[in-house]
Amino acid sequence: MTRLLPHPVLTPVLAIIWLLLNNSINTGQILLGLIFGWAIPVLTIHFWPEAVSIRKPLVLLRYIAVLLYDIIMANFTVARLILGNPDKLHPIFIKVPLDLTSDLAISLLANSITLTPGTLSARLSDDQSYLLVHALNETDPDTLVATIKHRYEHPLKEIFESC
């Protein structure tokens, strides 16, 4: 069964994305979206380094909501900083120590940080013990590390790793 439907959650998500991209819900587009949603995971199964197991789906939904909220709010903050006085910015690189061990969870953490305007994950250490993060304007690096760990890393650990 796993060979025929390797990622059962990804299939409907891809189908919905297809329908949104085409801005249509006619029968042909629904069928094509389902075919793509099934075919893409089947054809890319060998590229996935590990089986994806979502241990707490409700935490995942909360994580997505928090991430979307942070992205929206950070857009306003970055716009205010740039349109205000960019000479007063305090850019900084910080090391965020990682408790995550799953490659997928680490990748999602790095992408979440990068998707949030004003921060960018720049490098993962060779031993995967920390993530180097660039912040556009930060005066208290410890607070930023604590925020990343609390808002992003801890939920990802709950969702994808056994705690």
Side-chain angles (χ1 to χ4, degrees), residues 3 9 15 18 27 30 39 45 62 66 83 96 110 113 119 132-134 152 155-156:
R3 291 186 69 167
V9 175
W18 176 259
T27 308
I30 293 172
I45 193 167
R62 188 178 74 224
V66 166
L83 294 175
V96 177
I113 291 168
T119 56
L132 186 65
V133 174
H134 179 268
Y152 303 135
L156 286 171

Side-chain angles (χ1 to χ4, degrees), residues 4-5 8 22 35 48 53 57 70 74 106 117 119 126 139 155 159 163:
L4 290 176
L5 195 60
N22 284 289
I35 290 170
W48 292 75
S53 176
D70 287 351
I106 292 171
T119 56
D126 292 335
T139 55
I159 296 164
C163 298

